Amino acid sequence: MRESNAPDLTLHLNSSVFHCKIPRHQILSEFGEFGEISLRVIMDLHLKNLFGRFQEQFGSGPGLGPGSGTCLMKVEGVFPNFIKCIYKSSAALYRTEPWKRLRPGHLFGIRVGKDSDWSSKKQPFPCAQFIGGDGGDVGFYMFRSESDAKKMTGSRETIRVPNVELLRVSYELEALMFPSNKRMIKSLSLEASGTDRFPVIDVARCMSSGELRFRNPTLEELRFVYAFMRAISLVHPLLQEDKNGASKWSRLMYFETFIETVDVQWPPEMAKGHDLVAVTVSHPPGQAYEEKACSTASSTPTKYAEPPREVFVDVRVNSNGVLRQCTLCEKEVHGDQSQCCALCRAVVYCSSLCQKQHWKETHKSMCGLYKAMMEREEELVMKIFLFPCSVDQPCKWLESLGIHQKGMWRRKCGCYAHCPFGLLPVKGGLWDSWGGLGDEEFPRDSPFHNHVRDGISSPILLSGWSEYYNLRSLPLSSPVADILSHPFTVYYILSSLNISSKNLLLKGKEVILHYLGPEGELDWMPAFAEIGHLLNGSGNIHIVMVGPEVPTNLSGTTSGISSRVRVNLVRGNYQDEATYLPSPHIIVALNCGLESYSAWGGALELIKSRGVPAFFTEQSEILCANAKQVLRGAGLHITHPVTPNPFRSPVKTYCLSNNLPSYSNGFVLGVNT
């Protein structure tokens, strides 16, 4: 049989064009040389597989169709390792299966860092939805605004709205992907999502003609979507169904209003000066944090909507006979008679009656959060030290070290509570200040040697206690880190966390620091002298300590505790005294207890109006969660998310009413306007 060139058969389906070339001899053998070829026959015999692919690729869900052929390797400035991180994060999100519950009607608000972090000075795609949960291709779309999202969200399919741009991530089968993406996946060994799906990321715009045009995302847009994927995979499982919110006949599941901020770590190539970024996810968009008066001001929902049976098992607290306090009724109870929640083991009660009442009122919404905090206890313990690092009875701990009621250690128990801060009797001498520790057990008032490079001195940057003890040749049995935590946390903030103050020090200039709410620090000035040696001949630090605990007879005095560090003491509330102080480069408050003192309100207002970066430490993560609420309620944006402080005290302390890991200066966070 003679063969000739068969004409192309062209099908127009939903504005997409498919070409099918059928050999003429095959048509002749089945339909006759002059028979009319019907589209139905062609579909039955030759296009069955093609339409199967069409159905798989286009799906039956509300999406915009197949991938556009964009490829992340074509993004200007992108690193292969960052592409690997994106694929790894998208695979992690895929494994959480958000499409089981989420539909396009469930819109999420997104905020990554602060607006000034982005080139347009606003969040690139602050609204997102998940598509494909009702069938078809799965993925998610990110919109420039909530209004755009609502315009494009139809009852059954995505509506093409002219001149609306969105970023989309669709999970496609590898077999259906464009060759450029297949080559990229193979060459970089990228992680698959599910069995054989991979994300395709592009930015789509619908033209006035209804046609879709696509482009590669920019590197900045990839940063944004990466942060969203990392955050949403953590928080979407926490959404709680609102059974009273849906209408009787609605097929859409309704969720309780939700807002949560999580800390996302940038890949090294994307850090830009900060390893972590705070990502806030809300549902529906536009939710705002509300400041709460109680100590459970976290917004994190819980996995435990109803109390499992094991919640009320009688779990005794092991507290070596120390008095504890019931979380609910505040009754003091002997440690051996107290009990705690069996799930999180964090919260202390005097009886099962109080425990059950507290579960109903508050704890059921917090138990999951407390449990996660308790699970981080192991990583917070500093195992390098050889002295006892757990204190439930301070006097006994100090006695075991031979420093009780001696030197600066007198502020570590209540024996000298009658003596105002800053006015402890001093005999004189560094040896006496450190409580009579052996000569090799405390830092000498001397510079560090061998820290000049190319004839130029610069501040010594430390990563943690181990490095410092090494430099000073201190034995790990020395407890001085417990007091040095305060000055070293200040130095860590100045030299590592805040870029502007670090640059000033590197240039040999002075940094003015406002230090809010000092108490025991007023008696620890010999420890602050060590900051001067860490400056290593570069720069100066002027610390202005302001607080109501500064004694009247010390207010207005200046102490030159070293050649490069001087301290001014000022009595009063910060908001009342700040006008008379030199303008600060940075503000610091250690172990500040933001939720506990009403006087912080005025201070935070002043910090906001000045626009000066401020850093705070708290002893436990729950205090940090509450502090975040207070800061956001004051209109301050968290620029340095909550992280463990490498210069926290290694000595674990105990709260009366909970067992959460707690260390002096345990966690640090920073804000700016």
Side-chain angles (χ1 to χ4, degrees), residues 180-237:
S180 58
N181 277 316
K182 289 183 179 179
R183 287 194 297 270
M184 177 180 69
I185 290 166
K186 186 175 181 180
S187 64
L188 298 181
S189 300
L190 298 177
E191 184 174 343
S193 300
T195 307
D196 57 353
R197 290 182 180 270
F198 293 88
V200 173
I201 306 175
D202 55 32
V203 178
R205 177 184 286 274
C206 182
M207 311 308 292
S208 55
S209 63
E211 176 190 3
L212 288 174
R213 290 191 180 175
F214 302 94
R215 66 170 174 84
N216 278 306
T218 65
L219 185 60
E220 183 177 70
E221 289 166 343
L222 285 179
R223 279 169 54 85
F224 193 87
V225 75
Y226 169 83
F228 170 70
M229 287 192 295
R230 290 289 304 275
I232 195 68
S233 62
L234 293 174
V235 303
H236 83 78

Short mmCIF file of all heavy atoms in Angstrom, two decimals, residues 180-237:
data_model
loop_
_atom_site.label_atom_id
_atom_site.label_comp_id
_atom_site.label_asym_id
_atom_site.label_seq_id
_atom_site.Cartn_x
_atom_site.Cartn_y
_atom_site.Cartn_z
N SER A 180 13.25 21.06 29.74
CA SER A 180 14.18 21.87 30.54
C SER A 180 14.04 21.55 32.03
O SER A 180 15.04 21.48 32.76
CB SER A 180 13.91 23.36 30.30
OG SER A 180 12.56 23.69 30.62
N ASN A 181 12.81 21.35 32.50
CA ASN A 181 12.61 20.99 33.89
C ASN A 181 13.09 19.58 34.19
O ASN A 181 13.65 19.31 35.26
CB ASN A 181 11.13 21.15 34.27
CG ASN A 181 10.77 22.58 34.64
OD1 ASN A 181 11.51 23.24 35.35
ND2 ASN A 181 9.66 23.06 34.13
N LYS A 182 12.87 18.67 33.25
CA LYS A 182 13.35 17.30 33.45
C LYS A 182 14.87 17.27 33.58
O LYS A 182 15.42 16.57 34.43
CB LYS A 182 12.91 16.42 32.26
CG LYS A 182 11.43 16.11 32.23
CD LYS A 182 11.12 15.17 31.06
CE LYS A 182 9.64 14.83 30.99
NZ LYS A 182 9.32 13.93 29.86
N ARG A 183 15.54 18.05 32.72
CA ARG A 183 17.01 18.09 32.77
C ARG A 183 17.48 18.68 34.10
O ARG A 183 18.45 18.21 34.70
CB ARG A 183 17.55 18.91 31.60
CG ARG A 183 17.45 18.21 30.25
CD ARG A 183 18.31 18.91 29.21
NE ARG A 183 17.84 20.27 28.96
CZ ARG A 183 16.94 20.60 28.04
NH1 ARG A 183 16.41 19.65 27.27
NH2 ARG A 183 16.58 21.85 27.87
N MET A 184 16.79 19.74 34.57
CA MET A 184 17.17 20.36 35.83
C MET A 184 16.99 19.38 36.99
O MET A 184 17.86 19.26 37.86
CB MET A 184 16.31 21.61 36.07
CG MET A 184 16.59 22.29 37.40
SD MET A 184 15.58 23.77 37.68
CE MET A 184 13.96 23.01 37.89
N ILE A 185 15.88 18.65 37.00
CA ILE A 185 15.61 17.69 38.07
C ILE A 185 16.68 16.60 38.10
O ILE A 185 17.17 16.23 39.17
CB ILE A 185 14.21 17.07 37.86
CG1 ILE A 185 13.13 18.12 38.15
CG2 ILE A 185 14.02 15.84 38.75
CD1 ILE A 185 11.76 17.72 37.67
N LYS A 186 17.07 16.16 36.92
CA LYS A 186 18.06 15.09 36.85
C LYS A 186 19.45 15.59 37.23
O LYS A 186 20.17 14.95 38.01
CB LYS A 186 18.09 14.50 35.44
CG LYS A 186 18.99 13.28 35.31
CD LYS A 186 18.88 12.66 33.93
CE LYS A 186 19.78 11.43 33.82
NZ LYS A 186 19.70 10.80 32.47
N SER A 187 19.84 16.75 36.71
CA SER A 187 21.20 17.24 36.94
C SER A 187 21.43 17.65 38.39
O SER A 187 22.53 17.51 38.91
CB SER A 187 21.49 18.42 36.00
OG SER A 187 20.64 19.51 36.30
N LEU A 188 20.38 18.16 39.06
CA LEU A 188 20.53 18.61 40.44
C LEU A 188 20.06 17.57 41.45
O LEU A 188 20.13 17.80 42.66
CB LEU A 188 19.76 19.92 40.67
CG LEU A 188 20.21 21.13 39.86
CD1 LEU A 188 19.37 22.36 40.21
CD2 LEU A 188 21.68 21.43 40.08
N SER A 189 19.55 16.42 40.96
CA SER A 189 19.03 15.35 41.83
C SER A 189 17.99 15.92 42.80
O SER A 189 18.07 15.75 44.02
CB SER A 189 20.17 14.68 42.62
OG SER A 189 21.11 14.12 41.75
N LEU A 190 16.99 16.61 42.26
CA LEU A 190 16.00 17.30 43.08
C LEU A 190 15.01 16.32 43.69
O LEU A 190 14.67 15.30 43.08
CB LEU A 190 15.27 18.34 42.23
CG LEU A 190 16.16 19.45 41.66
CD1 LEU A 190 15.35 20.38 40.77
CD2 LEU A 190 16.82 20.24 42.78
N GLU A 191 14.55 16.66 44.89
CA GLU A 191 13.65 15.78 45.63
C GLU A 191 12.25 15.79 45.02
O GLU A 191 11.70 16.86 44.72
CB GLU A 191 13.58 16.21 47.09
CG GLU A 191 12.73 15.29 47.96
CD GLU A 191 12.80 15.65 49.43
OE1 GLU A 191 13.72 16.39 49.82
OE2 GLU A 191 11.92 15.20 50.19
N ALA A 192 11.68 14.60 44.87
CA ALA A 192 10.33 14.49 44.32
C ALA A 192 9.30 14.74 45.40
O ALA A 192 9.54 14.51 46.58
CB ALA A 192 10.12 13.10 43.72
N SER A 193 8.14 15.23 44.98
CA SER A 193 7.00 15.39 45.89
C SER A 193 6.07 14.22 45.65
O SER A 193 5.55 14.05 44.55
CB SER A 193 6.27 16.71 45.60
OG SER A 193 7.14 17.81 45.77
N GLY A 194 5.85 13.41 46.67
CA GLY A 194 5.07 12.20 46.45
C GLY A 194 5.91 11.19 45.69
O GLY A 194 7.13 11.10 45.85
N THR A 195 5.27 10.44 44.81
CA THR A 195 5.97 9.39 44.07
C THR A 195 6.76 9.94 42.90
O THR A 195 7.96 9.72 42.78
CB THR A 195 4.96 8.34 43.55
OG1 THR A 195 4.18 7.89 44.65
CG2 THR A 195 5.69 7.17 42.92
N ASP A 196 6.11 10.69 42.02
CA ASP A 196 6.80 11.16 40.81
C ASP A 196 6.36 12.56 40.40
O ASP A 196 6.32 12.89 39.22
CB ASP A 196 6.57 10.18 39.66
CG ASP A 196 5.09 9.99 39.36
OD1 ASP A 196 4.26 10.51 40.13
OD2 ASP A 196 4.77 9.33 38.35
N ARG A 197 5.98 13.37 41.36
CA ARG A 197 5.56 14.74 41.05
C ARG A 197 6.65 15.73 41.48
O ARG A 197 7.36 15.50 42.45
CB ARG A 197 4.24 15.08 41.73
CG ARG A 197 3.05 14.34 41.15
CD ARG A 197 1.75 14.76 41.82
NE ARG A 197 0.61 14.05 41.27
CZ ARG A 197 -0.11 14.48 40.24
NH1 ARG A 197 0.19 15.64 39.68
NH2 ARG A 197 -1.11 13.78 39.77
N PHE A 198 6.70 16.84 40.76
CA PHE A 198 7.65 17.89 41.07
C PHE A 198 6.95 19.24 40.93
O PHE A 198 6.05 19.40 40.10
CB PHE A 198 8.84 17.84 40.12
CG PHE A 198 9.71 16.63 40.29
CD1 PHE A 198 9.43 15.46 39.60
CD2 PHE A 198 10.81 16.65 41.15
CE1 PHE A 198 10.23 14.33 39.74
CE2 PHE A 198 11.60 15.53 41.30
CZ PHE A 198 11.32 14.37 40.61
N PRO A 199 7.36 20.22 41.73
CA PRO A 199 6.72 21.54 41.63
C PRO A 199 7.20 22.30 40.39
O PRO A 199 8.38 22.23 40.02
CB PRO A 199 7.18 22.24 42.90
CG PRO A 199 8.51 21.63 43.19
CD PRO A 199 8.40 20.19 42.77
N VAL A 200 6.28 23.00 39.76
CA VAL A 200 6.61 23.94 38.69
C VAL A 200 6.14 25.31 39.18
O VAL A 200 4.99 25.48 39.57
CB VAL A 200 5.93 23.57 37.37
CG1 VAL A 200 6.15 24.68 36.33
CG2 VAL A 200 6.48 22.24 36.84
N ILE A 201 7.05 26.27 39.18
CA ILE A 201 6.75 27.60 39.72
C ILE A 201 6.80 28.61 38.58
O ILE A 201 7.80 28.71 37.87
CB ILE A 201 7.75 28.00 40.82
CG1 ILE A 201 7.80 26.92 41.91
CG2 ILE A 201 7.38 29.34 41.42
CD1 ILE A 201 8.84 27.18 42.97
N ASP A 202 5.72 29.34 38.40
CA ASP A 202 5.71 30.41 37.41
C ASP A 202 4.81 31.54 37.88
O ASP A 202 4.09 31.41 38.87
CB ASP A 202 5.25 29.89 36.03
CG ASP A 202 3.91 29.19 36.06
OD1 ASP A 202 3.05 29.57 36.89
OD2 ASP A 202 3.69 28.26 35.27
N VAL A 203 4.89 32.65 37.20
CA VAL A 203 4.02 33.79 37.48
C VAL A 203 3.15 34.00 36.25
O VAL A 203 3.65 34.16 35.14
CB VAL A 203 4.83 35.07 37.78
CG1 VAL A 203 3.90 36.25 38.02
CG2 VAL A 203 5.73 34.86 38.99
N ALA A 204 1.83 33.95 36.46
CA ALA A 204 0.87 34.02 35.36
C ALA A 204 0.13 35.35 35.37
O ALA A 204 -0.16 35.91 36.43
CB ALA A 204 -0.14 32.87 35.46
N ARG A 205 -0.16 35.85 34.19
CA ARG A 205 -0.97 37.06 34.04
C ARG A 205 -1.99 36.83 32.92
O ARG A 205 -1.63 36.35 31.84
CB ARG A 205 -0.12 38.28 33.70
CG ARG A 205 -0.93 39.55 33.46
CD ARG A 205 -0.05 40.70 33.04
NE ARG A 205 0.73 41.23 34.14
CZ ARG A 205 0.29 42.15 35.00
NH1 ARG A 205 -0.93 42.65 34.86
NH2 ARG A 205 1.05 42.57 35.96
N CYS A 206 -3.24 37.13 33.20
CA CYS A 206 -4.29 37.00 32.19
C CYS A 206 -4.40 38.32 31.43
O CYS A 206 -4.56 39.39 32.02
CB CYS A 206 -5.62 36.66 32.87
SG CYS A 206 -6.97 36.41 31.71
N MET A 207 -4.30 38.24 30.11
CA MET A 207 -4.38 39.43 29.28
C MET A 207 -5.84 39.80 29.05
O MET A 207 -6.77 39.03 29.33
CB MET A 207 -3.66 39.20 27.95
CG MET A 207 -2.26 38.62 28.11
SD MET A 207 -1.22 39.55 29.27
CE MET A 207 -1.02 41.06 28.35
N SER A 208 -6.07 40.99 28.50
CA SER A 208 -7.44 41.44 28.25
C SER A 208 -8.16 40.55 27.25
O SER A 208 -9.38 40.45 27.24
CB SER A 208 -7.43 42.90 27.74
OG SER A 208 -6.58 43.01 26.61
N SER A 209 -7.38 39.84 26.42
CA SER A 209 -7.97 38.92 25.44
C SER A 209 -8.39 37.60 26.08
O SER A 209 -9.03 36.77 25.43
CB SER A 209 -6.95 38.64 24.33
OG SER A 209 -5.81 37.99 24.87
N GLY A 210 -8.02 37.38 27.34
CA GLY A 210 -8.31 36.12 28.00
C GLY A 210 -7.15 35.15 27.94
O GLY A 210 -7.16 34.11 28.60
N GLU A 211 -6.13 35.48 27.15
CA GLU A 211 -4.96 34.62 27.01
C GLU A 211 -4.07 34.73 28.25
O GLU A 211 -3.96 35.79 28.85
CB GLU A 211 -4.17 35.05 25.77
CG GLU A 211 -2.86 34.29 25.58
CD GLU A 211 -2.02 34.91 24.48
OE1 GLU A 211 -2.41 35.95 23.91
OE2 GLU A 211 -0.94 34.35 24.21
N LEU A 212 -3.43 33.62 28.63
CA LEU A 212 -2.51 33.62 29.76
C LEU A 212 -1.08 33.80 29.27
O LEU A 212 -0.67 33.20 28.27
CB LEU A 212 -2.61 32.30 30.53
CG LEU A 212 -3.86 32.07 31.38
CD1 LEU A 212 -3.84 30.67 31.95
CD2 LEU A 212 -3.95 33.09 32.50
N ARG A 213 -0.34 34.63 29.96
CA ARG A 213 1.08 34.77 29.69
C ARG A 213 1.86 34.44 30.96
O ARG A 213 1.42 34.75 32.06
CB ARG A 213 1.40 36.19 29.22
CG ARG A 213 0.86 36.47 27.83
CD ARG A 213 1.41 37.76 27.27
NE ARG A 213 0.89 38.02 25.95
CZ ARG A 213 1.14 39.13 25.25
NH1 ARG A 213 1.90 40.08 25.78
NH2 ARG A 213 0.63 39.29 24.05
N PHE A 214 3.00 33.81 30.76
CA PHE A 214 3.77 33.32 31.90
C PHE A 214 5.19 33.89 31.87
O PHE A 214 5.71 34.23 30.81
CB PHE A 214 3.85 31.79 31.88
CG PHE A 214 2.51 31.11 31.90
CD1 PHE A 214 1.89 30.73 30.72
CD2 PHE A 214 1.86 30.86 33.10
CE1 PHE A 214 0.66 30.10 30.74
CE2 PHE A 214 0.63 30.24 33.12
CZ PHE A 214 0.02 29.86 31.94
N ARG A 215 5.77 33.97 33.04
CA ARG A 215 7.18 34.34 33.16
C ARG A 215 7.80 33.59 34.32
O ARG A 215 7.10 33.05 35.19
CB ARG A 215 7.33 35.85 33.37
CG ARG A 215 6.77 36.36 34.71
CD ARG A 215 7.17 37.80 34.95
NE ARG A 215 6.54 38.38 36.14
CZ ARG A 215 6.99 38.23 37.38
NH1 ARG A 215 8.07 37.48 37.61
NH2 ARG A 215 6.36 38.80 38.40
N ASN A 216 9.13 33.56 34.33
CA ASN A 216 9.83 32.99 35.48
C ASN A 216 9.67 33.90 36.69
O ASN A 216 9.64 35.13 36.55
CB ASN A 216 11.32 32.85 35.16
CG ASN A 216 11.63 31.60 34.38
OD1 ASN A 216 11.28 30.50 34.78
ND2 ASN A 216 12.29 31.77 33.24
N PRO A 217 9.58 33.33 37.88
CA PRO A 217 9.59 34.18 39.08
C PRO A 217 10.96 34.82 39.24
O PRO A 217 11.97 34.31 38.74
CB PRO A 217 9.30 33.19 40.21
CG PRO A 217 9.78 31.87 39.69
CD PRO A 217 9.53 31.90 38.20
N THR A 218 11.00 35.94 39.92
CA THR A 218 12.29 36.56 40.25
C THR A 218 12.88 35.86 41.46
O THR A 218 12.20 35.10 42.17
CB THR A 218 12.12 38.06 40.56
OG1 THR A 218 11.33 38.18 41.76
CG2 THR A 218 11.44 38.78 39.42
N LEU A 219 14.14 36.14 41.73
CA LEU A 219 14.80 35.54 42.89
C LEU A 219 14.10 35.99 44.18
O LEU A 219 13.93 35.19 45.10
CB LEU A 219 16.27 35.96 42.93
CG LEU A 219 17.13 35.33 44.02
CD1 LEU A 219 17.15 33.81 43.88
CD2 LEU A 219 18.55 35.88 43.97
N GLU A 220 13.67 37.24 44.23
CA GLU A 220 12.98 37.74 45.41
C GLU A 220 11.65 37.01 45.60
O GLU A 220 11.28 36.65 46.73
CB GLU A 220 12.74 39.24 45.27
CG GLU A 220 12.09 39.86 46.50
CD GLU A 220 11.93 41.36 46.37
OE1 GLU A 220 11.11 41.81 45.55
OE2 GLU A 220 12.63 42.09 47.10
N GLU A 221 10.93 36.77 44.51
CA GLU A 221 9.66 36.05 44.61
C GLU A 221 9.88 34.61 45.05
O GLU A 221 9.05 34.05 45.78
CB GLU A 221 8.94 36.12 43.26
CG GLU A 221 8.41 37.52 42.95
CD GLU A 221 8.00 37.71 41.50
OE1 GLU A 221 8.40 36.89 40.64
OE2 GLU A 221 7.28 38.68 41.22
N LEU A 222 10.99 34.02 44.64
CA LEU A 222 11.31 32.66 45.09
C LEU A 222 11.59 32.64 46.59
O LEU A 222 11.21 31.70 47.29
CB LEU A 222 12.53 32.12 44.33
CG LEU A 222 12.30 31.67 42.89
CD1 LEU A 222 13.60 31.18 42.28
CD2 LEU A 222 11.22 30.59 42.81
N ARG A 223 12.26 33.67 47.09
CA ARG A 223 12.48 33.77 48.53
C ARG A 223 11.16 33.80 49.28
O ARG A 223 10.99 33.15 50.32
CB ARG A 223 13.27 35.06 48.86
CG ARG A 223 14.76 34.96 48.65
CD ARG A 223 15.44 36.32 48.74
NE ARG A 223 15.14 37.03 49.96
CZ ARG A 223 15.78 36.89 51.11
NH1 ARG A 223 16.76 36.03 51.20
NH2 ARG A 223 15.45 37.60 52.18
N PHE A 224 10.22 34.55 48.74
CA PHE A 224 8.92 34.69 49.39
C PHE A 224 8.17 33.36 49.41
O PHE A 224 7.64 32.95 50.44
CB PHE A 224 8.10 35.77 48.67
CG PHE A 224 6.89 36.21 49.44
CD1 PHE A 224 6.97 37.24 50.37
CD2 PHE A 224 5.65 35.62 49.23
CE1 PHE A 224 5.86 37.66 51.09
CE2 PHE A 224 4.53 36.02 49.93
CZ PHE A 224 4.64 37.05 50.87
N VAL A 225 8.13 32.69 48.27
CA VAL A 225 7.37 31.43 48.21
C VAL A 225 8.05 30.35 49.04
O VAL A 225 7.39 29.49 49.64
CB VAL A 225 7.17 30.98 46.75
CG1 VAL A 225 8.45 30.42 46.14
CG2 VAL A 225 6.06 29.94 46.64
N TYR A 226 9.38 30.39 49.12
CA TYR A 226 10.10 29.44 49.96
C TYR A 226 9.69 29.61 51.43
O TYR A 226 9.38 28.64 52.12
CB TYR A 226 11.60 29.64 49.80
CG TYR A 226 12.44 28.89 50.82
CD1 TYR A 226 12.77 27.55 50.62
CD2 TYR A 226 12.90 29.51 51.97
CE1 TYR A 226 13.54 26.86 51.55
CE2 TYR A 226 13.66 28.83 52.91
CZ TYR A 226 13.98 27.51 52.69
OH TYR A 226 14.73 26.82 53.62
N ALA A 227 9.68 30.86 51.89
CA ALA A 227 9.31 31.12 53.28
C ALA A 227 7.88 30.69 53.55
O ALA A 227 7.56 30.13 54.61
CB ALA A 227 9.49 32.60 53.60
N PHE A 228 6.98 30.94 52.58
CA PHE A 228 5.58 30.54 52.76
C PHE A 228 5.46 29.02 52.87
O PHE A 228 4.74 28.51 53.74
CB PHE A 228 4.74 31.05 51.60
CG PHE A 228 3.34 30.48 51.58
CD1 PHE A 228 2.41 30.86 52.53
CD2 PHE A 228 2.96 29.56 50.62
CE1 PHE A 228 1.13 30.34 52.52
CE2 PHE A 228 1.68 29.03 50.60
CZ PHE A 228 0.76 29.42 51.57
N MET A 229 6.13 28.28 51.99
CA MET A 229 6.03 26.82 52.03
C MET A 229 6.52 26.26 53.36
O MET A 229 5.90 25.36 53.93
CB MET A 229 6.82 26.20 50.87
CG MET A 229 6.17 26.38 49.51
SD MET A 229 6.91 25.37 48.19
CE MET A 229 8.55 26.06 48.09
N ARG A 230 7.62 26.81 53.85
CA ARG A 230 8.14 26.33 55.13
C ARG A 230 7.16 26.61 56.26
O ARG A 230 6.95 25.76 57.14
CB ARG A 230 9.49 27.01 55.42
CG ARG A 230 10.64 26.58 54.53
CD ARG A 230 11.10 25.16 54.83
NE ARG A 230 11.47 25.00 56.22
CZ ARG A 230 12.66 25.29 56.73
NH1 ARG A 230 13.62 25.75 55.93
NH2 ARG A 230 12.92 25.10 58.00
N ALA A 231 6.56 27.79 56.24
CA ALA A 231 5.66 28.17 57.34
C ALA A 231 4.33 27.45 57.26
O ALA A 231 3.83 26.92 58.27
CB ALA A 231 5.45 29.68 57.33
N ILE A 232 3.72 27.41 56.08
CA ILE A 232 2.36 26.87 55.97
C ILE A 232 2.34 25.37 56.25
O ILE A 232 1.36 24.83 56.78
CB ILE A 232 1.75 27.16 54.57
CG1 ILE A 232 0.24 26.92 54.58
CG2 ILE A 232 2.42 26.35 53.49
CD1 ILE A 232 -0.55 27.91 55.42
N SER A 233 3.44 24.67 55.95
CA SER A 233 3.47 23.23 56.24
C SER A 233 3.44 22.97 57.75
O SER A 233 2.97 21.92 58.19
CB SER A 233 4.72 22.59 55.62
OG SER A 233 5.90 23.15 56.17
N LEU A 234 3.90 23.95 58.54
CA LEU A 234 3.88 23.80 60.00
C LEU A 234 2.54 24.18 60.60
O LEU A 234 2.10 23.57 61.57
CB LEU A 234 4.97 24.69 60.62
CG LEU A 234 6.42 24.32 60.33
CD1 LEU A 234 7.36 25.39 60.89
CD2 LEU A 234 6.77 22.96 60.91
N VAL A 235 1.87 25.19 60.03
CA VAL A 235 0.70 25.74 60.71
C VAL A 235 -0.65 25.25 60.19
O VAL A 235 -1.62 25.23 60.95
CB VAL A 235 0.73 27.28 60.70
CG1 VAL A 235 2.00 27.81 61.31
CG2 VAL A 235 0.56 27.83 59.30
N HIS A 236 -0.73 24.83 58.91
CA HIS A 236 -2.08 24.47 58.42
C HIS A 236 -2.68 23.26 59.15
O HIS A 236 -3.91 23.18 59.31
CB HIS A 236 -2.09 24.28 56.90
CG HIS A 236 -1.65 22.93 56.42
ND1 HIS A 236 -2.46 21.81 56.46
CD2 HIS A 236 -0.49 22.51 55.85
CE1 HIS A 236 -1.81 20.77 55.97
NE2 HIS A 236 -0.62 21.17 55.59
N PRO A 237 -1.86 22.29 59.63
CA PRO A 237 -2.49 21.18 60.38
C PRO A 237 -3.13 21.64 61.69
O PRO A 237 -3.93 20.91 62.28
CB PRO A 237 -1.32 20.23 60.65
CG PRO A 237 -0.28 20.56 59.61
CD PRO A 237 -0.42 22.03 59.42
#
